[in-house]
Amino acid sequence: MSATPAVPASPTGARYWIALVLTGLIGGLLSGVFGVGGGIVMVPLLISLVHMNQRQAATTSLAAIVPTSIVGSITYLANGHIDLVAGVIIAGGAVVGSIIGSNLLQRIPLFWLRWLFIALLVVVAARMVVVEPERGAALELSVLVVLGYLALGLAMGIASGLFGIGGGVIAVPALVAVFGVSDLIAKGTSLLVLVPTSIVGTIANLRAKLVDLRAGLVVGVAATVAAVPGVALALLIPPRLSSILFAVLLVLAAAQLTVKALRTPRP
C-alpha cells in the first residue's frame, strides 16, 4: 500500500532550528572526512533530534546533500583526488537509480524502510572493517570496469533515492574493495557523483510533495560550511584508521535506530 505524499508543517521553535543546524554541521564534517554525502549521519540525527519519520528524514537529507556534495567534490578536485571520467560513468547509472529509489520511497511502508536502512548500515560497517584501503592506487579503465561502474552507479542511485544517503556509503567501499581505488580518489569521485544523483532525487521528491525544502536548505547550508574542513581532515587521517572510524560511526547509528525501531509498535 503506497504512502500518502504529504509533508507535515515544520515546527518553528528555536530548538527545532538549532537541531537542523547541528545536524548539518555534523553531517557536513563527516561528508568531507568520509566522502559519503553526510546522509548516513544526517538521517539518524533528523529522526532523533528533529523527530522526523524515516521518509521525511530521507527526503530532507537528500535535499541537503546537493550543496554539500558540490562543495566537497570541488575541494577534493582542487587537491587532485577525483577521477572525472569514472565519475561521469558512475553518475550515468546513479541518475537512473535515483529515480527508481525515489519511486520506491513513496511505496515502501515506514516500518520496512527503517529496518532496511539499519541493515544497510550494518553491512557497510562490516565491509569497511574487512577492506584494507590503499592510498595512491589509480582507476584503470576497461570495458568490464565501465560496466562495473554503471552497475555501481545504479545501486548508488537507488540507495540515494530510497534512504536519502546520497549513495556514497555504497560507492566508497565498493571503489576501494572491488576496484582497488585509492581511498581519497574513491571519496572525491563519490562526492562528484552525488551532485547529479541528489539533484535528480530531490526533484522527484519535490514533485511528489515529500520534501520540507526549508529544512533541507538549513541543513544543507550548515553541512556545506563544515564540508571543507572535513576534507582537510580526511587528507590527514591514515586510510585504515579512516575505515575503522567510519565503521564505528555506522554501528553507533544502527544501534540508535534499532533501539528506536524496537520501541515503535508496528502499524
PDB file of all heavy atoms in Angstrom, residues 151-191:
ATOM      1  N   ALA A 151      26.909  -0.373 -13.025  1.00  0.00           N
ATOM      2  CA  ALA A 151      26.151  -1.151 -12.039  1.00  0.00           C
ATOM      3  C   ALA A 151      26.275  -0.520 -10.646  1.00  0.00           C
ATOM      4  O   ALA A 151      25.296  -0.437  -9.896  1.00  0.00           O
ATOM      5  CB  ALA A 151      26.654  -2.589 -12.012  1.00  0.00           C
ATOM      6  N   LEU A 152      27.484  -0.067 -10.305  1.00  0.00           N
ATOM      7  CA  LEU A 152      27.700   0.602  -9.023  1.00  0.00           C
ATOM      8  C   LEU A 152      26.867   1.873  -8.940  1.00  0.00           C
ATOM      9  O   LEU A 152      26.241   2.161  -7.912  1.00  0.00           O
ATOM     10  CB  LEU A 152      29.182   0.940  -8.857  1.00  0.00           C
ATOM     11  CG  LEU A 152      29.555   1.825  -7.658  1.00  0.00           C
ATOM     12  CD1 LEU A 152      29.145   1.150  -6.346  1.00  0.00           C
ATOM     13  CD2 LEU A 152      31.047   2.131  -7.664  1.00  0.00           C
ATOM     14  N   GLY A 153      26.840   2.633 -10.032  1.00  0.00           N
ATOM     15  CA  GLY A 153      26.045   3.860 -10.055  1.00  0.00           C
ATOM     16  C   GLY A 153      24.567   3.588  -9.868  1.00  0.00           C
ATOM     17  O   GLY A 153      23.872   4.319  -9.155  1.00  0.00           O
ATOM     18  N   LEU A 154      24.071   2.513 -10.478  1.00  0.00           N
ATOM     19  CA  LEU A 154      22.660   2.154 -10.346  1.00  0.00           C
ATOM     20  C   LEU A 154      22.323   1.846  -8.889  1.00  0.00           C
ATOM     21  O   LEU A 154      21.321   2.341  -8.348  1.00  0.00           O
ATOM     22  CB  LEU A 154      22.347   0.948 -11.227  1.00  0.00           C
ATOM     23  CG  LEU A 154      20.880   0.518 -11.312  1.00  0.00           C
ATOM     24  CD1 LEU A 154      20.041   1.605 -11.967  1.00  0.00           C
ATOM     25  CD2 LEU A 154      20.748  -0.801 -12.078  1.00  0.00           C
ATOM     26  N   ALA A 155      23.172   1.035  -8.233  1.00  0.00           N
ATOM     27  CA  ALA A 155      22.952   0.698  -6.823  1.00  0.00           C
ATOM     28  C   ALA A 155      23.055   1.942  -5.947  1.00  0.00           C
ATOM     29  O   ALA A 155      22.273   2.147  -5.012  1.00  0.00           O
ATOM     30  CB  ALA A 155      23.968  -0.352  -6.375  1.00  0.00           C
ATOM     31  N   MET A 156      24.018   2.780  -6.269  1.00  0.00           N
ATOM     32  CA  MET A 156      24.230   4.020  -5.519  1.00  0.00           C
ATOM     33  C   MET A 156      23.024   4.943  -5.628  1.00  0.00           C
ATOM     34  O   MET A 156      22.565   5.531  -4.650  1.00  0.00           O
ATOM     35  CB  MET A 156      25.476   4.710  -6.080  1.00  0.00           C
ATOM     36  CG  MET A 156      25.890   5.975  -5.392  1.00  0.00           C
ATOM     37  SD  MET A 156      27.400   6.609  -6.194  1.00  0.00           S
ATOM     38  CE  MET A 156      27.622   8.134  -5.266  1.00  0.00           C
ATOM     39  N   GLY A 157      22.478   5.054  -6.834  1.00  0.00           N
ATOM     40  CA  GLY A 157      21.319   5.917  -7.059  1.00  0.00           C
ATOM     41  C   GLY A 157      20.074   5.414  -6.356  1.00  0.00           C
ATOM     42  O   GLY A 157      19.306   6.191  -5.798  1.00  0.00           O
ATOM     43  N   ILE A 158      19.854   4.096  -6.389  1.00  0.00           N
ATOM     44  CA  ILE A 158      18.684   3.520  -5.717  1.00  0.00           C
ATOM     45  C   ILE A 158      18.762   3.791  -4.213  1.00  0.00           C
ATOM     46  O   ILE A 158      17.780   4.196  -3.586  1.00  0.00           O
ATOM     47  CB  ILE A 158      18.591   2.006  -5.995  1.00  0.00           C
ATOM     48  CG1 ILE A 158      18.234   1.766  -7.467  1.00  0.00           C
ATOM     49  CG2 ILE A 158      17.536   1.357  -5.087  1.00  0.00           C
ATOM     50  CD1 ILE A 158      18.245   0.307  -7.867  1.00  0.00           C
ATOM     51  N   ALA A 159      19.947   3.574  -3.632  1.00  0.00           N
ATOM     52  CA  ALA A 159      20.127   3.842  -2.197  1.00  0.00           C
ATOM     53  C   ALA A 159      19.926   5.320  -1.893  1.00  0.00           C
ATOM     54  O   ALA A 159      19.359   5.688  -0.866  1.00  0.00           O
ATOM     55  CB  ALA A 159      21.516   3.404  -1.749  1.00  0.00           C
ATOM     56  N   SER A 160      20.383   6.162  -2.808  1.00  0.00           N
ATOM     57  CA  SER A 160      20.238   7.610  -2.637  1.00  0.00           C
ATOM     58  C   SER A 160      18.769   8.014  -2.557  1.00  0.00           C
ATOM     59  O   SER A 160      18.341   8.709  -1.638  1.00  0.00           O
ATOM     60  CB  SER A 160      20.914   8.338  -3.799  1.00  0.00           C
ATOM     61  OG  SER A 160      20.601   9.701  -3.804  1.00  0.00           O
ATOM     62  N   GLY A 161      17.989   7.580  -3.545  1.00  0.00           N
ATOM     63  CA  GLY A 161      16.578   7.949  -3.571  1.00  0.00           C
ATOM     64  C   GLY A 161      15.769   7.301  -2.470  1.00  0.00           C
ATOM     65  O   GLY A 161      14.834   7.897  -1.932  1.00  0.00           O
ATOM     66  N   LEU A 162      16.137   6.069  -2.103  1.00  0.00           N
ATOM     67  CA  LEU A 162      15.349   5.312  -1.131  1.00  0.00           C
ATOM     68  C   LEU A 162      15.646   5.713   0.310  1.00  0.00           C
ATOM     69  O   LEU A 162      14.741   5.826   1.140  1.00  0.00           O
ATOM     70  CB  LEU A 162      15.609   3.814  -1.308  1.00  0.00           C
ATOM     71  CG  LEU A 162      14.771   2.833  -0.485  1.00  0.00           C
ATOM     72  CD1 LEU A 162      13.282   3.038  -0.744  1.00  0.00           C
ATOM     73  CD2 LEU A 162      15.172   1.399  -0.812  1.00  0.00           C
ATOM     74  N   PHE A 163      16.928   5.941   0.627  1.00  0.00           N
ATOM     75  CA  PHE A 163      17.326   6.188   2.015  1.00  0.00           C
ATOM     76  C   PHE A 163      17.781   7.620   2.280  1.00  0.00           C
ATOM     77  O   PHE A 163      18.038   7.981   3.421  1.00  0.00           O
ATOM     78  CB  PHE A 163      18.454   5.228   2.413  1.00  0.00           C
ATOM     79  CG  PHE A 163      18.074   3.778   2.329  1.00  0.00           C
ATOM     80  CD1 PHE A 163      18.753   2.913   1.491  1.00  0.00           C
ATOM     81  CD2 PHE A 163      17.028   3.273   3.084  1.00  0.00           C
ATOM     82  CE1 PHE A 163      18.413   1.573   1.407  1.00  0.00           C
ATOM     83  CE2 PHE A 163      16.674   1.935   3.021  1.00  0.00           C
ATOM     84  CZ  PHE A 163      17.362   1.083   2.174  1.00  0.00           C
ATOM     85  N   GLY A 164      17.914   8.449   1.243  1.00  0.00           N
ATOM     86  CA  GLY A 164      18.342   9.829   1.438  1.00  0.00           C
ATOM     87  C   GLY A 164      19.775   9.969   1.890  1.00  0.00           C
ATOM     88  O   GLY A 164      20.139  10.936   2.557  1.00  0.00           O
ATOM     89  N   ILE A 165      20.638   8.995   1.510  1.00  0.00           N
ATOM     90  CA  ILE A 165      22.019   8.997   1.984  1.00  0.00           C
ATOM     91  C   ILE A 165      23.013   9.431   0.929  1.00  0.00           C
ATOM     92  O   ILE A 165      24.213   9.446   1.187  1.00  0.00           O
ATOM     93  CB  ILE A 165      22.418   7.594   2.488  1.00  0.00           C
ATOM     94  CG1 ILE A 165      22.297   6.567   1.355  1.00  0.00           C
ATOM     95  CG2 ILE A 165      21.560   7.183   3.669  1.00  0.00           C
ATOM     96  CD1 ILE A 165      22.832   5.209   1.708  1.00  0.00           C
ATOM     97  N   GLY A 166      22.560   9.791  -0.262  1.00  0.00           N
ATOM     98  CA  GLY A 166      23.475  10.204  -1.302  1.00  0.00           C
ATOM     99  C   GLY A 166      24.071   9.030  -2.057  1.00  0.00           C
ATOM    100  O   GLY A 166      24.335   9.117  -3.242  1.00  0.00           O
ATOM    101  N   GLY A 167      24.282   7.909  -1.414  1.00  0.00           N
ATOM    102  CA  GLY A 167      24.812   6.725  -2.081  1.00  0.00           C
ATOM    103  C   GLY A 167      26.308   6.543  -1.909  1.00  0.00           C
ATOM    104  O   GLY A 167      26.861   5.509  -2.281  1.00  0.00           O
ATOM    105  N   GLY A 168      26.981   7.544  -1.343  1.00  0.00           N
ATOM    106  CA  GLY A 168      28.416   7.435  -1.157  1.00  0.00           C
ATOM    107  C   GLY A 168      28.810   6.321  -0.208  1.00  0.00           C
ATOM    108  O   GLY A 168      29.900   5.755  -0.310  1.00  0.00           O
ATOM    109  N   VAL A 169      27.919   5.982   0.709  1.00  0.00           N
ATOM    110  CA  VAL A 169      28.194   4.901   1.650  1.00  0.00           C
ATOM    111  C   VAL A 169      28.329   3.569   0.929  1.00  0.00           C
ATOM    112  O   VAL A 169      28.947   2.631   1.436  1.00  0.00           O
ATOM    113  CB  VAL A 169      27.070   4.833   2.717  1.00  0.00           C
ATOM    114  CG1 VAL A 169      25.762   4.361   2.112  1.00  0.00           C
ATOM    115  CG2 VAL A 169      27.488   3.973   3.879  1.00  0.00           C
ATOM    116  N   ILE A 170      27.777   3.471  -0.272  1.00  0.00           N
ATOM    117  CA  ILE A 170      27.944   2.282  -1.098  1.00  0.00           C
ATOM    118  C   ILE A 170      29.127   2.458  -2.037  1.00  0.00           C
ATOM    119  O   ILE A 170      29.930   1.548  -2.237  1.00  0.00           O
ATOM    120  CB  ILE A 170      26.660   2.003  -1.910  1.00  0.00           C
ATOM    121  CG1 ILE A 170      25.523   1.611  -0.971  1.00  0.00           C
ATOM    122  CG2 ILE A 170      26.896   0.919  -2.947  1.00  0.00           C
ATOM    123  CD1 ILE A 170      24.203   1.420  -1.667  1.00  0.00           C
ATOM    124  N   ALA A 171      29.251   3.654  -2.628  1.00  0.00           N
ATOM    125  CA  ALA A 171      30.275   3.898  -3.646  1.00  0.00           C
ATOM    126  C   ALA A 171      31.684   3.812  -3.083  1.00  0.00           C
ATOM    127  O   ALA A 171      32.568   3.192  -3.686  1.00  0.00           O
ATOM    128  CB  ALA A 171      30.044   5.261  -4.292  1.00  0.00           C
ATOM    129  N   VAL A 172      31.944   4.449  -1.935  1.00  0.00           N
ATOM    130  CA  VAL A 172      33.306   4.487  -1.394  1.00  0.00           C
ATOM    131  C   VAL A 172      33.830   3.088  -1.060  1.00  0.00           C
ATOM    132  O   VAL A 172      34.926   2.711  -1.510  1.00  0.00           O
ATOM    133  CB  VAL A 172      33.387   5.421  -0.163  1.00  0.00           C
ATOM    134  CG1 VAL A 172      34.767   5.318   0.490  1.00  0.00           C
ATOM    135  CG2 VAL A 172      33.111   6.858  -0.579  1.00  0.00           C
ATOM    136  N   PRO A 173      33.095   2.266  -0.275  1.00  0.00           N
ATOM    137  CA  PRO A 173      33.598   0.915  -0.011  1.00  0.00           C
ATOM    138  C   PRO A 173      33.754   0.083  -1.285  1.00  0.00           C
ATOM    139  O   PRO A 173      34.711  -0.685  -1.414  1.00  0.00           O
ATOM    140  CB  PRO A 173      32.516   0.305   0.903  1.00  0.00           C
ATOM    141  CG  PRO A 173      31.829   1.473   1.504  1.00  0.00           C
ATOM    142  CD  PRO A 173      31.841   2.533   0.448  1.00  0.00           C
ATOM    143  N   ALA A 174      32.818   0.224  -2.244  1.00  0.00           N
ATOM    144  CA  ALA A 174      32.900  -0.555  -3.478  1.00  0.00           C
ATOM    145  C   ALA A 174      34.100  -0.154  -4.324  1.00  0.00           C
ATOM    146  O   ALA A 174      34.807  -1.009  -4.867  1.00  0.00           O
ATOM    147  CB  ALA A 174      31.613  -0.379  -4.287  1.00  0.00           C
ATOM    148  N   LEU A 175      34.354   1.137  -4.444  1.00  0.00           N
ATOM    149  CA  LEU A 175      35.500   1.597  -5.228  1.00  0.00           C
ATOM    150  C   LEU A 175      36.813   1.124  -4.605  1.00  0.00           C
ATOM    151  O   LEU A 175      37.761   0.767  -5.315  1.00  0.00           O
ATOM    152  CB  LEU A 175      35.485   3.123  -5.336  1.00  0.00           C
ATOM    153  CG  LEU A 175      34.445   3.717  -6.292  1.00  0.00           C
ATOM    154  CD1 LEU A 175      34.378   5.229  -6.138  1.00  0.00           C
ATOM    155  CD2 LEU A 175      34.762   3.350  -7.740  1.00  0.00           C
ATOM    156  N   VAL A 176      36.868   1.111  -3.283  1.00  0.00           N
ATOM    157  CA  VAL A 176      38.082   0.669  -2.599  1.00  0.00           C
ATOM    158  C   VAL A 176      38.241  -0.845  -2.673  1.00  0.00           C
ATOM    159  O   VAL A 176      39.309  -1.364  -3.018  1.00  0.00           O
ATOM    160  CB  VAL A 176      38.067   1.131  -1.122  1.00  0.00           C
ATOM    161  CG1 VAL A 176      39.230   0.503  -0.351  1.00  0.00           C
ATOM    162  CG2 VAL A 176      38.159   2.653  -1.043  1.00  0.00           C
ATOM    163  N   ALA A 177      37.153  -1.587  -2.367  1.00  0.00           N
ATOM    164  CA  ALA A 177      37.243  -3.035  -2.237  1.00  0.00           C
ATOM    165  C   ALA A 177      37.187  -3.768  -3.570  1.00  0.00           C
ATOM    166  O   ALA A 177      37.932  -4.724  -3.799  1.00  0.00           O
ATOM    167  CB  ALA A 177      36.111  -3.536  -1.333  1.00  0.00           C
ATOM    168  N   VAL A 178      36.319  -3.340  -4.472  1.00  0.00           N
ATOM    169  CA  VAL A 178      36.106  -4.060  -5.732  1.00  0.00           C
ATOM    170  C   VAL A 178      37.053  -3.578  -6.823  1.00  0.00           C
ATOM    171  O   VAL A 178      37.620  -4.379  -7.575  1.00  0.00           O
ATOM    172  CB  VAL A 178      34.645  -3.910  -6.201  1.00  0.00           C
ATOM    173  CG1 VAL A 178      34.431  -4.622  -7.524  1.00  0.00           C
ATOM    174  CG2 VAL A 178      33.693  -4.443  -5.140  1.00  0.00           C
ATOM    175  N   PHE A 179      37.241  -2.259  -6.907  1.00  0.00           N
ATOM    176  CA  PHE A 179      38.036  -1.702  -7.998  1.00  0.00           C
ATOM    177  C   PHE A 179      39.463  -1.334  -7.585  1.00  0.00           C
ATOM    178  O   PHE A 179      40.263  -0.925  -8.422  1.00  0.00           O
ATOM    179  CB  PHE A 179      37.335  -0.464  -8.574  1.00  0.00           C
ATOM    180  CG  PHE A 179      35.991  -0.771  -9.173  1.00  0.00           C
ATOM    181  CD1 PHE A 179      34.833  -0.584  -8.425  1.00  0.00           C
ATOM    182  CD2 PHE A 179      35.867  -1.260 -10.461  1.00  0.00           C
ATOM    183  CE1 PHE A 179      33.584  -0.863  -8.953  1.00  0.00           C
ATOM    184  CE2 PHE A 179      34.631  -1.542 -10.996  1.00  0.00           C
ATOM    185  CZ  PHE A 179      33.477  -1.351 -10.247  1.00  0.00           C
ATOM    186  N   GLY A 180      39.797  -1.474  -6.302  1.00  0.00           N
ATOM    187  CA  GLY A 180      41.148  -1.213  -5.839  1.00  0.00           C
ATOM    188  C   GLY A 180      41.579   0.232  -5.951  1.00  0.00           C
ATOM    189  O   GLY A 180      42.747   0.541  -6.191  1.00  0.00           O
ATOM    190  N   VAL A 181      40.635   1.146  -5.752  1.00  0.00           N
ATOM    191  CA  VAL A 181      40.907   2.572  -5.905  1.00  0.00           C
ATOM    192  C   VAL A 181      41.467   3.152  -4.605  1.00  0.00           C
ATOM    193  O   VAL A 181      41.151   2.685  -3.519  1.00  0.00           O
ATOM    194  CB  VAL A 181      39.592   3.296  -6.296  1.00  0.00           C
ATOM    195  CG1 VAL A 181      39.784   4.799  -6.330  1.00  0.00           C
ATOM    196  CG2 VAL A 181      39.116   2.799  -7.641  1.00  0.00           C
ATOM    197  N   SER A 182      42.296   4.161  -4.715  1.00  0.00           N
ATOM    198  CA  SER A 182      42.757   4.904  -3.541  1.00  0.00           C
ATOM    199  C   SER A 182      41.559   5.410  -2.750  1.00  0.00           C
ATOM    200  O   SER A 182      40.557   5.823  -3.326  1.00  0.00           O
ATOM    201  CB  SER A 182      43.618   6.092  -3.991  1.00  0.00           C
ATOM    202  OG  SER A 182      43.689   7.081  -2.984  1.00  0.00           O
ATOM    203  N   ASP A 183      41.668   5.376  -1.430  1.00  0.00           N
ATOM    204  CA  ASP A 183      40.526   5.794  -0.620  1.00  0.00           C
ATOM    205  C   ASP A 183      40.186   7.265  -0.841  1.00  0.00           C
ATOM    206  O   ASP A 183      39.016   7.662  -0.827  1.00  0.00           O
ATOM    207  CB  ASP A 183      40.787   5.517   0.867  1.00  0.00           C
ATOM    208  CG  ASP A 183      41.903   6.373   1.444  1.00  0.00           C
ATOM    209  OD1 ASP A 183      42.968   6.454   0.807  1.00  0.00           O
ATOM    210  OD2 ASP A 183      41.718   6.955   2.526  1.00  0.00           O
ATOM    211  N   LEU A 184      41.199   8.109  -1.082  1.00  0.00           N
ATOM    212  CA  LEU A 184      40.921   9.526  -1.314  1.00  0.00           C
ATOM    213  C   LEU A 184      40.248   9.756  -2.669  1.00  0.00           C
ATOM    214  O   LEU A 184      39.328  10.563  -2.782  1.00  0.00           O
ATOM    215  CB  LEU A 184      42.220  10.341  -1.230  1.00  0.00           C
ATOM    216  CG  LEU A 184      42.839  10.464   0.167  1.00  0.00           C
ATOM    217  CD1 LEU A 184      44.149  11.228   0.101  1.00  0.00           C
ATOM    218  CD2 LEU A 184      41.868  11.132   1.129  1.00  0.00           C
ATOM    219  N   ILE A 185      40.704   9.040  -3.693  1.00  0.00           N
ATOM    220  CA  ILE A 185      40.073   9.152  -5.007  1.00  0.00           C
ATOM    221  C   ILE A 185      38.641   8.622  -4.942  1.00  0.00           C
ATOM    222  O   ILE A 185      37.728   9.176  -5.556  1.00  0.00           O
ATOM    223  CB  ILE A 185      40.880   8.391  -6.082  1.00  0.00           C
ATOM    224  CG1 ILE A 185      42.229   9.071  -6.310  1.00  0.00           C
ATOM    225  CG2 ILE A 185      40.113   8.320  -7.399  1.00  0.00           C
ATOM    226  CD1 ILE A 185      43.112   8.377  -7.321  1.00  0.00           C
ATOM    227  N   ALA A 186      38.443   7.546  -4.175  1.00  0.00           N
ATOM    228  CA  ALA A 186      37.098   6.986  -4.023  1.00  0.00           C
ATOM    229  C   ALA A 186      36.162   7.998  -3.377  1.00  0.00           C
ATOM    230  O   ALA A 186      35.022   8.189  -3.811  1.00  0.00           O
ATOM    231  CB  ALA A 186      37.153   5.711  -3.191  1.00  0.00           C
ATOM    232  N   LYS A 187      36.644   8.685  -2.334  1.00  0.00           N
ATOM    233  CA  LYS A 187      35.815   9.670  -1.637  1.00  0.00           C
ATOM    234  C   LYS A 187      35.496  10.858  -2.536  1.00  0.00           C
ATOM    235  O   LYS A 187      34.349  11.316  -2.606  1.00  0.00           O
ATOM    236  CB  LYS A 187      36.535  10.146  -0.380  1.00  0.00           C
ATOM    237  CG  LYS A 187      36.684   9.081   0.695  1.00  0.00           C
ATOM    238  CD  LYS A 187      37.560   9.567   1.836  1.00  0.00           C
ATOM    239  CE  LYS A 187      37.771   8.478   2.872  1.00  0.00           C
ATOM    240  NZ  LYS A 187      38.664   8.909   3.966  1.00  0.00           N
ATOM    241  N   GLY A 188      36.512  11.367  -3.238  1.00  0.00           N
ATOM    242  CA  GLY A 188      36.295  12.520  -4.108  1.00  0.00           C
ATOM    243  C   GLY A 188      35.381  12.209  -5.275  1.00  0.00           C
ATOM    244  O   GLY A 188      34.474  12.988  -5.599  1.00  0.00           O
ATOM    245  N   THR A 189      35.589  11.049  -5.909  1.00  0.00           N
ATOM    246  CA  THR A 189      34.755  10.653  -7.043  1.00  0.00           C
ATOM    247  C   THR A 189      33.325  10.393  -6.596  1.00  0.00           C
ATOM    248  O   THR A 189      32.366  10.734  -7.287  1.00  0.00           O
ATOM    249  CB  THR A 189      35.329   9.383  -7.709  1.00  0.00           C
ATOM    250  OG1 THR A 189      36.692   9.633  -8.096  1.00  0.00           O
ATOM    251  CG2 THR A 189      34.528   8.998  -8.943  1.00  0.00           C
ATOM    252  N   SER A 190      33.174   9.804  -5.403  1.00  0.00           N
ATOM    253  CA  SER A 190      31.841   9.564  -4.856  1.00  0.00           C
ATOM    254  C   SER A 190      31.081  10.870  -4.670  1.00  0.00           C
ATOM    255  O   SER A 190      29.910  10.986  -5.047  1.00  0.00           O
ATOM    256  CB  SER A 190      31.957   8.828  -3.522  1.00  0.00           C
ATOM    257  OG  SER A 190      30.729   8.819  -2.835  1.00  0.00           O
ATOM    258  N   LEU A 191      31.733  11.875  -4.095  1.00  0.00           N
ATOM    259  CA  LEU A 191      31.077  13.160  -3.883  1.00  0.00           C
ATOM    260  C   LEU A 191      30.687  13.808  -5.210  1.00  0.00           C
ATOM    261  O   LEU A 191      29.635  14.452  -5.300  1.00  0.00           O
ATOM    262  CB  LEU A 191      32.000  14.102  -3.094  1.00  0.00           C
ATOM    263  CG  LEU A 191      32.052  13.872  -1.583  1.00  0.00           C
ATOM    264  CD1 LEU A 191      33.111  14.760  -0.949  1.00  0.00           C
ATOM    265  CD2 LEU A 191      30.698  14.113  -0.934  1.00  0.00           C
TER     266      LEU A 191
END
